[in-house]
Amino acid sequence: MSFDKNRWEQVNSLLNVESKVAVQREKKLGEFIFSSNYYSLSSIDNVFNQISNRVDEDTRPVRQDLDLERLTNKQIRRLVECHFFGKKALSESHKNNVDKFSGVYPLTAFVAQIRKVTADDPIIIDTSQSVTNYGNVVIEPGGYIEIRKSCYFYCQSLNIVDSSLDNRPIFLVAGADGEVGKVGSTGSKGSEGARGNDGTCRCSGTEKRNNGTPGAKGGTGGPGGLGGNGGDGAVGPVVKVQIDDLKSNLVITNRGGNGGYGGRGGDGGQGGPGGPGGNQKECAAVFAHSGDGGDGGNGGNGGNGGNGGNGANGAQITGHYKSSNSSTITPVNRASDVGPGGAGGNPGAAGQGGPGGLGGSRHSGATGNTGSVSGNSGNSGQTQGSVGTTNIQLITS
């Protein structure tokens, strides 16, 4: 499909013909984005082929005796992605059988005649089963391309404006990184110490006086909660790259999703305040003295950090390109990183001493101690994902 003034109408019409639902359209800085659903693999295949200018001379067919009923839904979705993005081709009989298991096929198309890629407006593909049809892709300083979901990336030409950026990995194909674990809950505050008993006496002096009693010590703060574990990274997507004229050297980095960071442990709860001392009582010449305030409670211990998530396997990237100036594509296949464990929580603050009882000059209770134990850091994720594969061929003819 060539680039001309009727591009919007052509793609819009093409998508509407095959789709069973309305096509959602968005215009953003000269780029048109179309999203729709399809209910047969043959229908979406027709649209996909025309929008992407797909060339599949290197695609291997799926074996005919494959029993789809023995596959999980996840495996069938992966099979469909491999078909769309040039890894393995499904026969017509396979397509009909797949339709029985997969009720709907979403498709998002990104279309632009000139797509300027900047730091503020990068190309980010994060919707499943996407296809691009760009004319000239111009990567300006700070711009980058990031593909997180399965995609057929097609453009007529690709040029990096600043030659000093050549060979820098500004084209990333990677699975989504695992989510960061949640921060542990803060420990509960310690209970307030009980109030001391008031002093007692009689004016006749016939009863022994009883001085006010001290307030009780405040309760210890509760321990902080355990931080949540980081999520595992997602497996790298299946991606097909087709560039009709590569005008700058390009590095394509391939990795699976990194493991998520473990969540930080919760802080220990504050110690409870000490109870107030019992009040003084005066009986003529007899005094029952007030009680001292109770000591504040100790702070709670910090919670342990959550464990980091595991890294995922890398992407499967295939494709081909031509170049009018001998520019090349350099693949960098990296292993994903495991997520580091979360930090332990801080000990809780000390509780305040309770006030002395009223009357006299009794002492307030002592401030409690800060919690003595910080939480332990969580463990890092256990496994890195395996390195993905990148096979993008230069076509010289």
Side-chain angles (χ1 to χ4, degrees):
M1 182 180 293
S2 61
F3 284 92
D4 56 40
K5 63 181 181 180
N6 296 320
R7 167 52 56 84
W8 170 269
E9 289 80 5
Q10 289 174 326
V11 176
N12 184 45
S13 175
L14 176 62
L15 292 174
N16 272 316
V17 166
E18 299 289 353
S19 176
K20 297 289 183 68
V21 296
V23 178
Q24 298 180 358
R25 293 167 288 272
E26 177 186 354
K27 183 176 181 181
K28 171 189 163 188
L29 297 178
E31 180 181 27
F32 301 112
I33 302 174
F34 306 82
S35 298
S36 192
N37 292 330
Y38 300 84
Y39 292 87
S40 77
L41 195 50
S42 294
S43 293
I44 192 173
D45 233 9
N46 179 46
V47 175
F48 199 94
N49 286 336
Q50 295 187 60
I51 295 177
S52 66
N53 290 344
R54 180 164 65 176
V55 178
D56 283 338
E57 69 278 357
D58 56 347
T59 299
R60 301 187 302 275
V62 173
R63 70 175 196 269
Q64 286 296 322
D65 61 349
L66 180 66
D67 186 0
L68 297 179
E69 292 187 357
R70 302 185 67 174
L71 302 181
T72 65
N73 289 337
K74 184 176 181 179
Q75 289 172 324
I76 291 175
R77 287 196 301 271
R78 191 70 170 183
L79 188 66
V80 171
E81 290 177 348
C82 287
H83 169 76
F84 282 142
F85 308 114
K87 191 72 176 174
K88 289 191 176 182
L90 291 167
S91 66
E92 288 302 318
S93 61
H94 277 136
K95 291 179 186 179
N96 293 333
N97 288 330
V98 167
D99 287 340
K100 299 175 183 178
F101 297 94
S102 299
V104 62
Y105 304 95
L107 176 66
T108 301
F110 299 83
V111 181
Q113 183 170 0
I114 298 176
R115 180 59 164 91
K116 291 185 177 180
V117 184
T118 66
D120 295 330
D121 187 26
I123 293 176
I124 297 179
I125 308 295
D126 56 4
T127 56
S128 293
Q129 291 173 198
S130 296
V131 55
T132 72
N133 193 328
Y134 294 131
N136 302 320
V137 173
V138 181
I139 302 178
E140 298 184 348
Y144 61 94
I145 298 171
E146 188 173 295
I147 300 178
R148 293 282 185 176
K149 298 283 188 175
S150 295
C151 171
Y152 197 113
F153 184 89
Y154 168 75
C155 66
Q156 290 184 345
S157 68
L158 187 147
N159 180 44
I160 300 174
V161 172
D162 186 349
S163 60
S164 66
L165 298 181
D166 280 10
N167 295 319
R168 197 182 79 177
I170 58 175
F171 194 124
L172 173 67
V173 178
D177 294 336
E179 295 185 357
V180 176
K182 294 183 178 180
V183 177
S185 58
T186 301
S188 58
K189 184 177 181 179
S191 59
E192 181 178 1
R195 183 178 179 276
N197 296 322
D198 292 340
T200 60
C201 60
R202 287 183 180 276
C203 293
S204 63
T206 59
E207 179 180 311
K208 181 181 179 182
R209 69 180 181 184
N210 296 301
N211 293 328
T213 59
K217 182 177 181 176
T220 301
L226 176 67
N229 292 334
D232 292 340
V235 174
V238 178
V239 173
K240 182 71 173 280
V241 176
Q242 180 182 339
I243 303 173
D244 289 346
D245 188 7
L246 179 66
K247 296 183 177 181
S248 302
N249 292 331
L250 178 65
V251 173
I252 295 183
T253 302
N254 172 353
R255 66 166 173 81
N258 294 325
Y261 284 62
R264 181 179 174 276
D267 293 336
Q270 181 180 5
N279 295 331
Q280 169 183 288
K281 186 170 183 181
E282 180 181 355
C283 304
V286 178
F287 287 91
H289 299 295
S290 56
D292 292 333
D295 296 337
N298 298 330
N301 297 331
N304 294 333
N307 297 329
N310 297 320
N313 296 339
Q316 301 176 53
I317 308 173
T318 59
H320 52 266
Y321 68 99
K322 298 178 181 179
S323 178
S324 60
N325 62 2
S326 300
S327 294
T328 60
I329 289 178
T330 301
V332 176
N333 298 318
R334 282 184 45 209
S336 57
D337 296 326
V338 297
N346 297 318
Q352 296 296 314
L358 297 179
S361 57
R362 308 307 292 176
H363 301 289
S364 296
T367 301
N369 297 316
T370 301
S372 59
V373 179
S374 296
N376 297 318
S377 296
N379 297 318
S380 296
Q382 295 181 340
T383 58
Q384 288 182 298
S386 61
V387 174
T389 59
T390 303
N391 183 18
I392 302 178
Q393 301 292 326
L394 172 63
I395 299 177
T396 57
S397 58

